Amino acid sequence: MSASTPLLDVAGVDAGYGRSQVLFGMSLTVHAGGCTSLLGRNGMGKSTTIKALMGLIRPTRGEIRWRGTPVQARAPHAIARLGIGLVPEGRQVFPNLTVRENLVATAASRTGVRTPWTLARVHALFPRLAERGSHFGNQLSGGEQQMLAIGRALMTNPALLILDEATEGLAPLIRQQIWNALAQIKSEGTAILVVDKNIVPLLGIADRHTVVEKGQVAWTGTTEELRANASVLQRYLAVDGPGEERRPPAVAAIAPEAADAKGPADTTLLESLYREHRSIVAALDTLSLIVRRSADEGGPLEVPTLHAILHYFDIFPERHHHPKEEEFLFPAIRARTAEANDVIGRLERQHVAGDQALEALQQKLLRAEHGAGTDVQAFLTAARTFIEAYRQHLDIEESVLMPIARRALPREDWVRIERQFRGRVDPLELEDGPVDPQALLQRIVALAPAPLGFGSASRRP
């Protein structure tokens, strides 16, 4: 392959499903070590293009060339073995394999890379996968499943990594971790073809962009050309609907200073912390109600619902709310006064102990699900202890730490911390007023991983 030959070259491809044609002369290129994005609104043919590239559907016309050789007639496994790793839409991790088993199941090194991807390197890229190594695929959050899907593809040591909807349905913090990982992967020489709706990070990582409209290439060009072409953004990438004005997506990355300048004009109290505490208390109340129904009323153990609630505590308080406190709130208080050092140290230790208690509780629930009555009782006892410890933790924060913070922190600190907290939103997004337990439970279940319904948080009552 000459230096000018694209790693992947799609030329004039028609493809579809049965008699329904979806792609009409689709063309795009990806060069070795480069990154190309595939953009367009929903239903325009982006995923169909990926399926055609991987041999999952057979093109009826045109060519797909890998290093200059036509491959459109090859089977999917043969195309993968050429050095193409796929992160499919919906992640599709193996639900009944552990994280480690998912990673090593298809591991290979066929492309002769100098520094192959290994289990240790994937763990370094996504440390959370090392922590969750013994957990099954269906016990992971959506973000963890996406990390696992990327790690699984990297373990095949591809020359080209293809991602279909790289960050769809993920929390902003997790999306940023994914984009950071992709930037590192690209920097090490792996080519990337990525489908995603988040334009700003794509402009930061991709060299070229192909815009798809009704199965055809509507526009193609460099990042600089796309930034300068407002008509492309307006016509093909704006979100519109009945009665809505088309609006192009923002294309300029917001500088940290500009982002910090946004937000409410008067945030003298940390409203977000109390709002997030309210969500946690509501989830604790729901967990307590379900435990009480089984322990005191003799009802059956509501296993799927309990898995969903524990998963919520795992993805939000333990890996979202607590890190914000440790990153933004606690350092600000320590910088202003030594009065709170002891209580902050205690709260930080409780964060660690709470994470360990939650993991132990999840394991007890698994044993209770498949074990005897003694395992059920052990879970119920541990759940009550977990609930009580969590309530005490929240009480210490609000009755001991926050009065110190109010005395010590000037208004500008409160404003900054409030904006930092609001940058990472509560996935439950509870409104003011009474909490409807059934509606809350539906939201929690919607956040849970497959098969409980992860990714359906938009289906809210």
Side-chain angles (χ1 to χ4, degrees):
M1 182 180 78
S2 68
S4 60
T5 302
L7 188 66
L8 176 70
D9 187 11
V10 180
V13 166
D14 291 355
Y17 308 92
R19 296 182 180 180
S20 299
Q21 185 173 346
V22 177
L23 301 182
F24 300 85
M26 174 59 64
S27 298
L28 63 87
T29 59
V30 183
H31 288 269
C35 179
T36 296
S37 78
L38 194 56
L39 302 172
R41 292 190 290 269
N42 289 340
M44 293 296 108
K46 304 185 299 295
S47 292
T48 300
T49 300
I50 300 301
K51 291 176 181 177
L53 298 181
M54 296 303 301
L56 298 172
I57 60 174
R58 187 65 59 87
T60 57
R61 189 178 71 87
E63 277 194 336
I64 300 172
R65 293 185 287 268
W66 176 256
R67 302 183 188 270
T69 301
V71 297
Q72 67 272 7
R74 301 194 187 189
H77 70 274
I79 292 176
R81 288 178 177 175
L82 293 172
I84 302 177
L86 174 65
V87 180
E89 184 178 14
R91 299 173 283 271
Q92 299 183 27
V93 301
F94 299 116
N96 298 321
L97 296 183
T98 66
V99 168
R100 186 184 188 281
E101 290 167 343
N102 266 276
L103 291 173
V104 302
T106 57
S109 184
R110 304 183 183 93
T111 56
V113 294
R114 292 182 178 178
T115 309
W117 284 97
T118 62
L119 197 61
R121 289 195 67 205
V122 170
H123 286 168
L125 185 67
F126 296 122
R128 188 60 182 166
L129 295 183
E131 298 169 9
R132 305 281 277 178
S134 61
H135 289 73
F136 291 106
N138 61 5
Q139 295 176 313
L140 305 182
S141 70
E144 290 170 341
Q145 288 185 358
Q146 186 69 350
M147 294 175 188
L148 180 56
I150 294 172
R152 180 180 61 186
L154 290 176
M155 288 289 285
T156 67
N157 284 284
L160 171 64
L161 181 66
I162 299 178
L163 302 100
D164 193 358
E165 299 295 354
T167 64
E168 183 179 33
L170 302 182
L173 182 62
I174 301 299
R175 286 203 301 266
Q176 189 57 52
Q177 292 177 10
I178 298 297
W179 292 121
N180 290 344
L182 294 182
Q184 179 179 335
I185 292 166
K186 180 190 175 188
S187 72
E188 296 183 9
T190 301
I192 298 174
L193 173 62
V194 58
V195 174
D196 202 84
K197 299 179 180 66
N198 293 289
I199 305 298
V200 170
L202 283 174
L203 292 174
I205 189 175
D207 311 300
R208 297 192 61 82
H209 309 269
T210 296
V211 178
V212 185
E213 175 78 5
K214 297 181 180 178
Q216 298 177 303
V217 175
W219 183 90
T220 187
T222 66
T223 289
E224 291 72 19
E225 291 168 340
L226 182 57
R227 284 184 186 274
N229 199 328
S231 64
V232 171
L233 299 170
Q234 175 74 26
R235 183 173 182 182
Y236 300 114
L237 301 178
V239 178
D240 62 340
E244 294 182 358
E245 179 184 358
R246 280 192 169 189
R247 297 180 302 275
V251 297
I254 300 174
E257 295 78 11
D260 201 46
K262 300 197 304 182
D266 186 18
T267 52
T268 55
L269 292 176
L270 192 52
E271 298 170 357
S272 293
L273 180 137
Y274 289 107
R275 188 178 295 112
E276 291 178 6
H277 279 191
R278 185 168 172 268
S279 294
I280 295 169
V281 169
L284 286 170
D285 290 343
T286 304
L287 176 59
S288 179
L289 176 65
I290 294 173
V291 168
R292 190 165 60 249
R293 280 203 295 254
S294 295
D296 300 341
E297 302 173 13
L301 201 62
E302 299 174 33
V303 172
T305 302
L306 289 167
H307 274 305
I309 294 174
L310 296 185
H311 172 263
Y312 164 75
F313 280 108
D314 195 15
I315 64 166
F316 181 61
E318 298 300 331
R319 282 181 280 138
H320 186 92
H321 177 76
H322 293 168
K324 286 197 296 186
E325 291 179 329
E326 294 175 357
E327 184 177 350
F328 305 133
L329 178 62
F330 294 174
I333 298 173
R334 280 188 168 123
R336 296 289 183 177
T337 178
E339 182 183 359
N341 285 353
D342 288 342
V343 67
I344 289 176
R346 181 179 176 186
L347 291 170
E348 289 174 333
R349 291 190 295 274
Q350 288 179 346
H351 284 175
V352 175
D355 194 22
Q356 295 170 344
L358 177 60
E359 185 169 352
L361 191 59
Q362 289 172 317
Q363 294 300 319
K364 288 181 185 295
L365 180 57
L366 287 174
R367 289 195 291 271
E369 181 180 359
H370 303 292
T374 55
D375 293 316
V376 173
Q377 189 57 47
F379 167 77
L380 295 174
T381 300
R384 283 174 162 167
T385 302
F386 175 84
I387 294 167
E388 181 59 25
Y390 222 127
R391 293 192 194 280
Q392 291 177 2
H393 173 80
L394 295 176
D395 182 66
I396 292 171
E397 282 194 352
E398 295 190 5
S399 65
V400 180
L401 178 65
M402 295 311 291
I404 298 174
R406 289 191 187 96
R407 293 194 300 269
L409 296 183
R411 182 182 180 279
E412 59 265 28
D413 283 1
W414 283 116
V415 171
R416 186 186 69 255
I417 297 167
E418 172 69 14
R419 288 165 179 163
Q420 290 168 329
F421 261 64
R422 291 190 181 190
R424 304 178 193 171
V425 298
D426 177 353
L428 288 184
E429 299 175 351
L430 293 184
E431 303 293 338
D432 293 334
V435 176
D436 180 350
Q438 189 58 40
L440 173 69
L441 192 56
Q442 290 178 12
R443 292 189 179 192
I444 289 174
V445 170
L447 292 169
L452 296 177
F454 184 89
S456 305
S458 59
R459 299 198 310 269
R460 289 175 176 145

